[in-house]
Amino acid sequence: MGRTLAEKVWDDHVVRRAEGEPDLLFIDLHLLHEVTSPQAFDGLRKSGRQVRRLDLTIATEDHNTPTLDIDKPIADPVSRAQLETLRKNCAEFGVRLHPLGDVEQGVVHVVGPQLGLTQPGTTVVCGDSHTSTHGAFGALAFGIGTSQVEHVLATQTLPMARPKTMAITVEGELPDGVTAKDLILAIIAKIGTGGGQGYIIEYRGSAIEKLSMEARMTICNMSIEAGARAGMIAPDQTTFDYLQGRDHAPRGADWDAAVAYWKTLRTDDDAVFDAEVFIDAAELAPFVTWGTNPGQGAPLSASVPDPASYEDASERLAAEKALEYMGLTAGQPLRDIKVDTVFVGSCTNGRIEDLRAAASLLQGRKVADGVRMLVVPGSVRVALQAVEEGLDRVFTEAGAEWRHAGCSMCLGMNPDQLAPGERSASTSNRNFEGRQGKGGRTHLVSPQVAAATAVLGHLASPADLTDNAATRTPAGV
Amino acid sequence: MEAFTAHTGRAVPLRRSNVDTDQIIPAHWLKKVTRDGFEDGLFEAWRKDPEFVLNRPERQGATVLVAGPDFGTGSSREHAVWALQNYGFKTVISSRFADIFRGNSLKNGLLTVVLEQSVVDRLWELTEADPAAEITVDLVERKVTAEGVMADFELDENARWRLLNGLDDISLTLQNEADIAAYEASRPAFKPRTLKA
Ligand code: SF4
């Protein structure tokens, strides 16, 4: 019988297989950041172990880094201590590190792909759940806990039970103004936050094949919000074109050998998935969340749902609690929800294409009075590219704040946070209670919806902007 | 890791679904660089409410958390497991756990037990009616027992064996050094490297 993409990559990494035991998998790439690594390095030190493969390990600083005044010492002593611990650990063990201020610094899931380290058919792990992002390249990429970080540092392997496989097939054309973010939010609303649990999801179908690498990363990134272990997309010419010439992409004869291998990484026609979901791209619309888990979302044209309409008691209770926390009432149109803050950034939507999309809508427009908009590039490289294209000026002229790269308001470990009761439209991936700051309320949106929302002051799609096109100043003025 | 064979204790009923790891331990606690001292951060936001179940005097010293479905979703932070353990929980019961959280818990000796929601409902009712009621989680027999409740649970043999013996994964893996070295020797040259030769 044929095998799925996930099974092929899995099989290629089995170091040891024994009856009744999890497979021991070899890890091709281990990404580290400051939050989930200190206790792992400590463990190594206590047991007198070394990092087995320094050449397959790389670290960056992202979660705690400030996005303003990065040349000054970090104000929060605890954040500073955590970054200093990473620097000390990397120096002691010899791990390559891109610290704050380095040109390759940025959110770990933006840095791996842009360096060309994330490649088809590799296994990628990081002590961070959004490691699923790297699956966009046809890599098997898992978020792991700190004990596993230590395990990979010491052995370059991980014992893992093989998850089941799920196909999510999206056919057709995405309508205008509908993005990868809307698609993944709609998928999570459909299958639920536990829908992917125990599975590796493979996204496939004509709508997925047409997506850019950036868009594919947005989708795979949020696989974890559907509860999945990982998300993957089969590599194709789009993938190869993205990789060719990047710093760590293979060259010469190695490139040819790699591409020949990568082309085999497709699910066989006769392979069988453990579960299948079908989605018609043409039926999708801009999608936003109204609740406090990523499955609580709806098309922007809809209204806040009535908890009483849920048959399942725990869903009903969850919806009631969410509305209370979010300060919303059932039946309120989503478009009427006013925001104080708009955040464009994160490993979901902080890549150059996301910034371009937001900038193209802000060009010649102004951020509404009373709204603060933060634009935080996913990495220094993304920031430099944006500056080269003049996007930073578009943002600042529109009244948005152009910041330094990092995770920033995605989780508010640095000073970029919502105040209690404040409401944001955010291109990040989690709308959990307090995620962006204690008492803060988050609506997850695409970069396009974020930009339109910033201009109008309430949740809005790009289509809502066309009426006031006349008020737009011409480009470059 | 501390071995887990069986545990008996009073319970905390947590009637919420989708309890994500941001709720279990908020992000600002993640700046710590140790594995201990997270107990005050456990469910920090909810604990501001004096009526929150963990704050009730009759729940002090409880060691079994009985939670709603999809417990531990979201971020991979192992700190969520440490916070539960630092606080004194030995085991968590739910009808469904998020994968990464489950993996983290078993690696740290916090036994996560999956039971049918109907059994979870009965445990909730029991401990709500009588906070002194005890629940026994027996990993040897793979059984949860309490007054009027007797339920079997599953756990894969390998994870169970490691928990029963308190075995550390890294030393187990390193026994396969020859296999790892053989695999490394056969990796294709085109595979990525973070350090250039
Ligand atoms: S951007 Fe957000 S989701 Fe991504 S790694 Fe940083 S904190 Fe995690």
Side-chain angles (χ1 to χ4, degrees):
Chain A
M1 200 177 64
R3 291 180 301 161
T4 62
L5 163 64
E7 288 160 348
K8 290 184 184 184
V9 180
W10 185 283
D11 290 346
D12 283 348
H13 290 85
V14 175
V15 169
R16 179 172 184 274
R17 178 171 282 168
E19 186 58 30
E21 287 180 33
D23 285 348
L24 189 62
L25 287 192
F26 193 81
I27 302 304
D28 289 318
L29 179 63
H30 188 189
L31 307 164
L32 295 166
H33 62 86
E34 75 273 18
V35 180
T36 52
S37 63
Q39 295 88 351
F41 280 113
D42 239 14
L44 285 190
R45 210 174 279 121
K46 282 197 186 119
S47 41
R49 292 179 176 129
Q50 293 298 315
V51 177
R52 183 182 179 96
R53 294 294 301 262
L54 290 168
D55 61 336
L56 306 183
T57 310
I58 187 168
T60 181
E61 301 174 350
D62 52 9
H63 286 66
N64 282 278
T65 52
T67 57
L68 286 173
D69 300 330
I70 66 158
D71 43 343
K72 303 210 181 95
I74 296 168
D76 176 355
V78 200
S79 282
R80 191 170 63 225
Q82 195 162 59
L83 292 170
E84 280 165 1
T85 304
L86 180 70
R87 290 171 198 178
K88 228 175 62 228
N89 284 332
C90 287
E92 178 184 335
F93 287 89
V95 173
R96 171 176 169 186
L97 167 69
H98 295 293
L100 186 63
D102 186 275
V103 69
E104 299 298 352
Q105 179 261 340
V107 181
V108 64
H109 311 307
V110 179
V111 169
Q114 83 190 3
L115 281 171
L117 283 166
T118 304
Q119 294 178 14
T122 55
T123 45
V124 181
V125 299
C126 174
D128 190 281
S129 58
H130 289 101
T131 310
S132 59
T133 312
H134 306 262
F137 290 79
L140 195 52
F142 299 110
I144 57 177
T146 298
S147 296
Q148 290 170 304
V149 170
E150 184 182 339
H151 195 283
V152 176
L153 286 172
T155 70
Q156 204 59 34
T157 64
L158 262 190
M160 285 190 86
R162 187 154 96 177
K164 294 175 286 184
T165 59
M166 176 188 287
I168 295 186
T169 306
V170 191
E171 294 289 356
E173 292 272 346
L174 288 174
D176 264 359
V178 178
T179 67
K181 183 64 164 287
D182 304 304
L183 170 57
I184 188 64
L185 286 173
I187 289 173
I188 300 163
K190 182 178 168 118
I191 70 173
T193 52
Q197 209 217 325
Y199 292 98
I200 298 171
I201 297 176
E202 180 181 338
Y203 303 94
R204 53 211 312 256
S206 57
I208 301 292
E209 284 161 24
K210 277 177 224 145
L211 296 176
S212 66
M213 286 317 295
E214 271 96 344
R216 293 178 189 186
M217 285 189 253
T218 300
I219 290 183
C220 288
N221 173 276
M222 290 192 72
S223 302
I224 187 73
E225 269 64 54
R229 206 65 188 78
M232 297 179 92
I233 293 173
D236 60 10
Q237 198 56 46
T238 305
T239 322
F240 310 153
D241 291 345
Y242 178 96
L243 278 169
Q244 193 157 27
R246 287 193 185 259
D247 219 20
H248 289 267
R251 286 172 208 281
D254 276 347
W255 172 260
D256 298 337
V259 173
Y261 170 60
W262 297 345
K263 285 186 171 163
T264 67
L265 299 173
R266 309 195 69 83
T267 293
D268 295 326
D269 291 339
D270 57 343
V272 180
F273 290 94
D274 299 301
E276 294 222 44
V277 174
F278 294 91
I279 291 187
D280 180 358
E283 283 179 3
L284 295 169
F287 213 88
V288 302
T289 62
W290 49 264
T292 53
N293 76 55
Q296 292 174 323
L300 181 58
S301 55
S303 299
V304 176
D306 185 350
S309 67
Y310 289 92
E311 275 172 30
D312 180 271
S314 85
E315 273 187 56
R316 186 163 57 236
L317 188 66
E320 277 167 13
K321 287 205 158 112
L323 293 199
E324 192 191 327
Y325 181 85
M326 293 295 286
L328 298 173
T329 43
Q332 185 178 4
L334 292 170
R335 270 201 170 78
D336 286 358
I337 297 175
K338 292 202 164 56
V339 306
D340 329 272
T341 300
V342 173
F343 171 65
V344 172
S346 86
C347 58
T348 314
N349 284 123
R351 282 171 275 268
I352 189 68
E353 203 175 87
D354 303 309
L355 300 192
R356 284 182 192 137
S360 73
L361 291 165
L362 285 176
Q363 173 89 55
R365 294 193 169 105
K366 288 276 179 227
V367 173
D369 282 345
V371 173
R372 119 178 116 139
M373 181 178 189
L374 247 63
V375 183
V376 182
S379 70
V380 177
R381 289 272 178 215
V382 169
L384 292 174
Q385 176 73 27
V387 168
E388 197 178 306
E389 297 178 20
L391 306 184
D392 59 324
R393 273 190 45 217
V394 175
F395 290 124
T396 49
E397 281 167 15
E401 296 176 45
W402 171 250
R403 294 292 188 88
H404 189 79
C407 294
S408 176
M409 198 182 265
C410 177
L411 90 167
M413 272 184 92
N414 76 352
D416 307 337
Q417 297 186 12
L418 293 180
E422 270 189 337
R423 186 182 297 282
S424 77
S426 175
T427 66
S428 55
N429 44 44
R430 285 185 175 145
N431 51 347
F432 298 155
E433 290 181 20
R435 168 85 176 177
Q436 297 191 292
K438 235 175 248 163
R441 296 160 168 164
T442 304
H443 296 274
L444 300 178
V445 299
S446 71
Q448 284 83 339
V449 168
T453 298
V455 171
L456 294 173
H458 58 81
L459 292 182
S461 72
D464 299 329
L465 288 173
T466 48
D467 326 331
N468 62 1
T471 63
R472 218 171 152 176
T473 43
V477 175
Chain B
M1 180 172 86
E2 216 180 301
F4 188 113
T5 47
H7 176 77
T8 300
R10 285 180 293 114
V12 172
L14 186 65
R15 279 195 189 257
R16 287 183 189 244
S17 60
N18 265 295
V19 174
D20 55 76
T21 52
D22 275 77
Q23 300 315 320
I24 301 174
I25 186 88
H28 69 98
W29 282 88
L30 274 48
K31 297 176 184 181
K32 282 170 63 69
V33 296
T34 57
R35 282 177 188 251
D36 43 33
F38 290 98
E39 57 276 9
D40 292 339
L42 180 69
F43 301 126
E44 186 182 50
W46 296 340
R47 270 163 83 186
K48 301 244 151 74
D49 171 6
E51 287 308 304
F52 178 59
V53 59
L54 225 59
N55 290 334
R56 307 285 314 158
E58 67 274 18
R59 302 292 167 191
Q60 301 317 304
T63 50
V64 179
L65 183 65
V66 186
D70 295 311
F71 187 82
T73 56
S75 147
S76 63
R77 58 189 72 162
E78 199 156 317
H79 314 66
V81 172
W82 304 332
L84 286 160
Q85 291 182 310
N86 293 167
Y87 186 84
F89 285 111
K90 301 286 182 210
T91 172
V92 185
I93 297 173
S94 166
S95 64
R96 204 159 57 195
F97 291 97
D99 286 334
I100 300 181
F101 175 81
R102 183 119 210 260
N104 287 344
S105 67
L106 298 175
K107 287 204 179 342
N108 284 275
L110 177 74
L111 178 57
T112 37
V113 179
V114 180
L115 295 176
E116 299 256 325
Q117 188 57 43
S118 59
V119 183
V120 174
D121 286 341
R122 268 193 290 149
L123 291 173
W124 276 342
E125 285 156 19
L126 172 71
T127 173
E128 277 167 1
D130 175 13
E134 291 195 325
I135 298 178
T136 297
V137 176
D138 185 336
L139 183 58
V140 183
E141 300 293 331
R142 277 190 291 216
K143 254 189 200 353
V144 172
T145 45
E147 198 193 318
V149 178
M150 164 100 80
D152 293 327
F153 66 89
E154 310 236 327
L155 186 69
D156 80 76
E157 244 336 287
N158 188 265
R160 177 167 168 264
W161 168 72
R162 280 183 286 119
L163 273 170
L164 286 172
N165 297 292
L167 293 175
D168 145 38
D169 266 5
I170 297 181
S171 348
L172 287 175
T173 295
L174 287 174
Q175 291 172 7
N176 303 310
E177 170 60 37
D179 294 321
I180 302 173
Y183 184 93
E184 284 176 322
S186 70
R187 288 175 81 235
F190 59 74
K191 290 279 183 177
R193 282 173 200 279
T194 58
L195 305 176
K196 291 189 177 164

